Amino acid sequence: DAKHLVPNKMRDFFCTINLDQEEVFRTQVVEKSLSPYFGEEFYFEIPRTFQWLSFYIYDKSVLQKDMRIGKVSIKKEDLCNYTGKENWFMLQPVDSNSEVQGKVHLELKLNELITDNGSVCQQLVVHIKECHGLPLINGQNCDPYATVSLVGPSRNDQKKTKVKKKTSNPQFNETFYFEVTRSSSYTKKSQFQVEEEDIEKLEVRVDLWNNGNLVQDIFLGEIKVPVKVLRNDSFQAWYLLQPRENGNKSSKTDDLGSLRLNICYTEDCVLPSEYYTSLRNLLLKSSDVQPISASAAYILSEVCRDKYDAVLPLVRLLLHHHKLVPFVAAVAELDLKDTQEANTIFRGNSLATRCVDEMMKIVGKHYLKVTLKPVIDEICESPKPCEIDPIKLREGDNVEINMENLRYYVDKVFREIVRSSISCPTLMCDVFYSLRHLAAKRFPNDPHVQYSAVSSFVFLRFFAVAVVSPHTFHLRPHHPDAQTSRTLTLISKAIQTLGSWGSLTKSKLSSFKETFMCEFFKTFQEEKFTESVKKFLDDVSSTESKEPSGLSEPVHLKEGEMYKRAQGRTRIGKKNFKKRWFCLTSREFTYHKQQDKEPIFTIPIKNILAVEKLDESSFNKKNMFQVLHGEKPLYIQANNCVEASEWIEALCRVTRCNQKRLSFYHPSAFLNGNWLCCKATVENTVGCARCTADVPADTQIEIDGDREAERIYTLFTINMSKLQKLEEACGSIAVYQGPRKEPDDYSNFTIEDSVATFHTLKQIIDVVGKLNESHEKYRKKRSSSAKYGSE
């Protein structure tokens, strides 16, 4: 959210998230506010290098261009200082001199020249090779050129490259020569003073500009390199473009308002897979360790201050290697040992419950979409008043009509859920089966506990949470407005109660805090609701094989507006780029003239042969990819790098099991009678580059096992002092078998078997130590090969 924004009158605001100058996400517009609450979460992989993560606040305008009020820019190196914390940031003014992105490739050389009279002078050679990742200007590729200057206390020699048209990655390949020092015998009158010590004060400056033609040129960034670093040597390096020194400095920063952000940023240096073999094996055998509290996976959750930090990479790693179900069963059994009453089963935030929560988010993503998205869309797009709290009713509201509306929505959501068991992923069913039987074993005299063990997850922690926060589960693009959010909250409460097996009793109804909810639920006391819940829970906790989700109805996977190039299916008509609405389901990939129109063109998923990036040089456009199918390639331009990456990933995931997938493709387009990449003149010739995803893979889950192992290694490294204290504690208990010393150090840890725990801890510490050595070797190698100014 933001507060005290200028101008000091009620306006419509929205916020964008930018990687450097590239907008990757945008919040919904909050109308008529000085302190707008956005309440939106965005999770994304960053597909390219960047310098700044920026947040821009805009004043929405109907007739004119939206006005940028201010920004918060955080340098990549500083993101770790803010991660996991909620911070208020003062908005900074938006200054064109500070809005930069991209990098420039330079080769610099200092030559010694011998003049005709035998004296020695120095010459600087600057070879500007290319730039990469320059920003778009008004949504289009820029027309960049560079100025190269040799700057000193009393000199400023400037030279200029040619303008490159319509490209964000210009290839300049121009060389410039500058005199640095002259011999004392040089007699020609000089425009500047030359002294031997001047070389200590000279610097090369390269400025990038967008050629404005009839309007003012736009500054794109600069770099400065002191001449003294050359030391009679030459080198080449990539330099990140920097803002001007006077950029972003203003005395009015206190007047723009502030923005509250919660940022979680992780960056992993992943080594080759073989380096993680020992750590991976140690974690994967956790479910076989007795007791489970002595396993590496359990110890990881114990030493991390926030269990969630450990759970996410742990669940993903175990999922990737098909070891999650036995581990969840083992930690759930430990959880049940401490559960004294059946009605409190799996209600806390233990390792078991968090693992199941995370598993459902990962595995159940498409299950939620096919089950809830249509009804959630109806509620959000055509909302009916549903407020039944007498205190919150507005003037003119009819509580009986509102109750009917709420009942209609609850019935519809409930019906979709209890009919969805056929779509429930097999892995979720296997986990629910284990939990159900463990609960029945722990409380053999309670006939309902086997159902409440499952409903506490599938209803309370899965469906009910998705209903109240559809944007978090990608069921809606944005946080719902206040009235819709209230409706979803009431529906979620109803679904929680209906899903709680054994809860529809008079004693339970009387325990409601809100009288109005108690009255509302009296209309649900029918046998068919409890029977429907029971049958649904039986189905989703069965080990019988399930049909793949979405066989009866196509699963809606992704949609959005992008640009496509005309495919030339007709002989007449220009092959230009047009804005279209794209839609991807589990059955087909389509594009439409507008969002709710019939599709203009349809590609069945089974006919897609490959999905790959397209070189920018093909059409001088960024963020392009191609969909190869039976006809000519479909060339598409996404709005930003994150969107392009997400579309490619979604299309690859849904097509990877296609039997006719290609192994080779053309990274550029076929234009003017030849392929730009390999110059072949036959349009249907075999591709010249290997496809990036030609091996069939799991269509449900995309997990990088090595990356998750690296994250777990990082967590162990951060908490090494706790591991060592726990090791000392286990040794003390095992040797003395007496009262524990210094209980504050490890009294919160679970030590059931000190010998087994000590053995695992020793293995963890040894494995982490070896990985430390490998990382240190990599850092030294990278440090020794790095050059001044390089990334």
Side-chain angles (χ1 to χ4, degrees), residues 110 122 199-200 226-235:
L110 203 57
Q122 289 183 304
I199 194 169
E200 296 294 321
V227 173
K228 64 182 179 182
V229 303
L230 298 179
R231 301 293 181 194
N232 296 320
D233 195 7
S234 68
F235 68 87

Side-chain angles (χ1 to χ4, degrees), residues 334-382:
L334 180 64
D335 210 14
L336 287 169
K337 284 182 182 178
D338 298 327
T339 306
Q340 303 304 318
E341 296 182 18
N343 62 355
T344 62
I345 192 169
F346 299 132
R347 291 298 174 96
N349 279 325
S350 64
L351 176 60
T353 58
R354 290 196 175 202
C355 282
V356 177
D357 286 351
E358 201 55 47
M359 177 275 297
M360 292 190 297
K361 286 180 185 177
I362 298 169
V363 177
K365 190 188 303 181
H366 297 309
Y367 177 35
L368 275 179
K369 282 189 175 180
V370 72
T371 305
L372 289 183
K373 193 175 191 318
V375 64
I376 294 293
D377 285 344
E378 178 188 340
I379 294 167
C380 294
E381 292 168 10
S382 306

Side-chain angles (χ1 to χ4, degrees), residues 128-131 134 142-148 159-167 169-176 207-211 217 220:
I128 177 166
K129 295 189 172 186
E130 59 182 317
C131 291
L134 298 181
C142 53
D143 296 338
Y145 70 89
T147 60
V148 183
K159 299 179 182 182
K160 178 181 172 182
T161 68
K162 295 177 182 177
V163 176
K164 300 297 180 181
K165 293 289 186 180
K166 303 298 178 193
T167 177
N169 302 321
Q171 302 281 332
F172 292 113
N173 279 322
E174 295 190 39
T175 304
F176 301 100
D207 294 83
L208 268 294
W209 298 85
N210 177 62
N211 183 37
D217 293 355
L220 300 178

Side-chain angles (χ1 to χ4, degrees), residues 61 66 112 137 153 171 233 391 414 430 460 469 478 503 514 559 578 593 619-620 633 671 681 717 725:
S61 176
D66 299 332
E112 285 191 347
I137 304 296
Q171 302 281 332
D233 195 7
I391 299 173
F414 179 80
D430 291 344
L460 272 66
S469 302
H478 297 294
S503 65
E514 304 103 332
E559 63 180 352
K578 293 182 179 178
K593 201 162 189 177
F619 302 104
N620 280 331
L671 296 174
T681 55
T717 304
K725 286 181 180 178

Side-chain angles (χ1 to χ4, degrees), residues 115 151 161 352 357 382 434 487 502 508 577 593 636 640 710 725 745 774 776:
T115 61
V151 182
T161 68
D357 286 351
S382 306
S434 295
T487 298
K508 191 73 177 177
F577 282 81
K593 201 162 189 177
I636 302 171
N640 58 66
E710 171 63 27
K725 286 181 180 178
D745 285 342
S774 300
E776 188 59 32

